């Protein structure tokens, strides 16, 4: 095929890669602006090279004239996440979008490949506007953690170097490192859960303290001053203990007292 013809074939895919990169980076920015954690860490895109397309045609016996129907990863997007849970959040984000339609899904995280490869693959149908009108093309989106990406990048370059004939001793070490990557991701997820727990108990703690202080402030307006000072001292003692359960129980008792004085609704 003439180079000019290849250019024409690849142009919409090149545009799709650019557009999808912009769109996924925009998601990161939306989270950033809302001061929220983004499940997407980074996004990269690539257009499959002509030699890789030809190689795939040869391997899979695909006639050149069928490449746009049968090769689904001419446009490729890779999304990197910090944690495994984020991958599934990203899949949901994509599922809920109107500008791309999921055509195929492969969960190589739940079912890792025999090589140890882990990643979530989506083939989406994506509309591209061209001079000839709208064209629906395929794009592949690979979603993986930073750790999975590290392993896949090294393994891919070894595959390339050894042309599918990776020596047995290296394959064994790659399998072992895939297991280490799996453990690393699990460990990171458990640290993540702990951080989330710590964050939510900090928020609960802050809300209870503010509720207690509000009640004490209101009691000053309606109750016996000496009694309120006693309650306040008691609160300081409990606060020093840094025990959420004791704080909760104190807040409940104070609620009852404040209710007795109808002090809760005071501003
Ligand atoms: P490249 O150079 O990354 O584009 P198919 O897509 O039909 O060829 P398959 O196995 O049906 O092959 O699809 P699958 O499993 O979704 O794999 C598609 C892509 O996933 C591959 O593209 C790789 O990028 C990646 N991949 C799949 N398995 C492995 C693996 O064991 N190791 C690594 N490092 N990457 C993998 P290409 O076209 O093979 O290569």
């Amino acid at each position: 095929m003439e180079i000019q013809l290849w250019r024409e074939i690849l142009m919409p895919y090149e545009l799709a890669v650019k557009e999808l990169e912009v769109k996924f980076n925009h998601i990161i920015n939306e989270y950033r602006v809302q001061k929220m954690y983004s499940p997407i860490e980074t996004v990269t895109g690539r257009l499959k090279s002509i030699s890789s397309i030809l190689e795939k045609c040869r391997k899979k016996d695909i006639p050149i004239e069928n490449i746009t129907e049968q090769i689904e990863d001419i446009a490729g997007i890779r999304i990197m996440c910090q944690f495994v849970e984020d991958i599934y959040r990203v899949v949901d984000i994509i599922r809920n979008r109107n500008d791309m339609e999921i055509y195929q899904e492969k969960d190589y995280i739940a079912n890792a490949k025999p090589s140890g490869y882990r990643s979530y693959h989506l083939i989406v149908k994506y509309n591209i506007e061209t001079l000839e009108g709208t064209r629906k093309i395929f794009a592949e989106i690979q979603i993986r953690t930073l750790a999975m990406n590290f392993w896949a990048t090294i393994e891919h370059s070894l595959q390339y170097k050894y042309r599918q004939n990776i020596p047995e001793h290296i394959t064994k070490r790659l399998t072992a490192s895939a297991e280490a990557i799996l453990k690393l991701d699990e460990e990171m997820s458990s640290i993540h859960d702990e951080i989330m727990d710590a964050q939510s108990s900090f928020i609960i703690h802050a809300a209870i303290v503010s509720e207690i202080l509000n009640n004490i402030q209101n009691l000053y307006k309606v109750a016996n001053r000496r009694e309120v000072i006693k309650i306040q001292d008691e609160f300081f003692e409990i606060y020093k203990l840094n025990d959420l359960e004791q704080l909760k129980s104190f807040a409940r008792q104070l609620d009852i007292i404040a209710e007795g004085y109808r002090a809760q609704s005071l501003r």
Side-chain angles (χ1 to χ4, degrees):
M1 201 188 301
E2 289 166 31
I3 291 291
Q4 189 52 28
L5 218 55
W6 273 112
R7 281 222 179 101
E8 274 174 38
I9 291 172
L10 296 182
M11 262 180 86
Y13 294 92
E14 195 178 3
L15 179 59
V17 170
K18 285 184 189 153
E19 284 189 13
L20 289 168
E21 273 187 291
V22 166
K23 288 181 174 185
F24 286 113
N25 275 313
H26 181 74
I27 295 178
I28 301 178
N29 278 340
E30 276 191 274
Y31 277 103
R32 198 165 292 154
V33 165
Q34 293 186 34
K35 297 199 168 35
M36 281 162 73
Y37 168 78
S38 168
I40 302 177
E41 181 65 20
T42 50
V43 182
T44 60
R46 69 101 183 93
L47 181 69
K48 205 172 183 75
S49 66
I50 298 176
S51 68
S52 296
I53 295 174
L54 290 175
E55 176 67 12
K56 200 158 189 169
C57 285
R58 192 186 57 78
K59 263 203 296 193
K60 300 206 158 188
D61 219 2
I62 298 171
I64 300 275
E65 56 274 18
N66 285 1
I67 57 170
T68 55
E69 293 90 46
Q70 289 184 260
I71 300 189
E72 293 149 344
D73 66 340
I74 299 177
I77 292 290
R78 194 165 284 160
I79 294 177
M80 265 73 72
C81 307
Q82 289 187 15
F83 304 99
V84 179
E85 299 72 32
D86 298 337
I87 295 175
Y88 294 97
R89 282 181 63 195
V90 175
V91 174
D92 281 341
I93 290 172
I94 295 173
R95 212 187 291 287
N96 288 323
R97 290 183 73 102
N98 292 319
D99 57 350
M100 51 194 95
E101 179 199 335
I102 297 180
Y103 170 74
Q104 190 187 77
E105 277 179 73
K106 289 183 191 168
D107 186 349
Y108 294 130
I109 296 164
N111 304 296
K113 283 201 162 188
S115 60
Y117 176 77
R118 286 160 68 240
S119 223
Y120 202 105
H121 290 191
L122 293 174
I123 304 292
V124 295
K125 283 184 181 170
Y126 183 70
N127 280 346
I128 280 292
E129 298 304 323
T130 71
L131 287 179
E132 283 77 41
T134 309
R135 270 198 57 194
K136 211 179 257 303
I137 61 161
F138 286 124
E140 184 189 61
I141 305 175
Q142 299 182 343
I143 314 162
R144 41 172 86 148
T145 61
L146 296 163
M148 288 173 196
N149 189 53
F150 175 52
W151 183 92
T153 306
I154 306 277
E155 198 256 6
H156 193 273
S157 58
L158 287 173
Q159 270 186 35
Y160 187 76
K161 181 176 173 191
Y162 290 104
R163 305 225 157 249
Q164 315 296 330
N165 298 313
I166 303 180
E168 173 91 15
H169 71 281
I170 295 186
T171 307
K172 273 193 186 144
R173 291 171 79 172
L174 278 171
T175 309
S177 42
E179 278 161 24
I181 292 288
L182 174 66
K183 282 217 176 73
L184 177 66
D185 271 333
E186 283 172 354
E187 194 60 17
M188 286 302 168
S189 287
S190 73
I191 293 172
H192 182 235
D193 288 349
E194 240 174 73
I195 293 167
M196 288 299 172
D197 279 357
Q199 274 176 354
S200 66
S201 65
F202 173 79
I203 291 166
I204 295 169
H205 186 271
I208 293 173
V209 168
S210 133
E211 189 190 313
I212 292 172
L213 291 176
N214 191 37
N215 270 337
I216 292 176
Q217 233 172 2
N218 286 340
L219 281 171
Y220 267 115
K221 294 175 193 154
V222 289
N224 177 289
R225 192 180 157 80
R226 216 177 296 158
E227 198 188 330
V228 184
I229 289 174
K230 223 174 100 196
I231 292 172
Q232 187 176 299
D233 289 343
E234 215 179 308
F235 164 63
F236 285 143
E237 286 311 308
I238 287 171
Y239 185 83
K240 271 192 258 169
L241 297 175
N242 201 17
D243 180 332
L244 190 59
E245 287 314 309
Q246 292 215 41
L247 207 59
K248 277 183 188 168
S249 145
F250 180 80
R252 276 195 296 271
Q253 286 170 30
L254 189 60
D255 264 351
I256 296 166
I257 298 170
E259 217 176 284
Y261 283 100
R262 298 186 184 282
Q264 276 171 319
S265 55
L266 292 175
R267 285 272 155 238

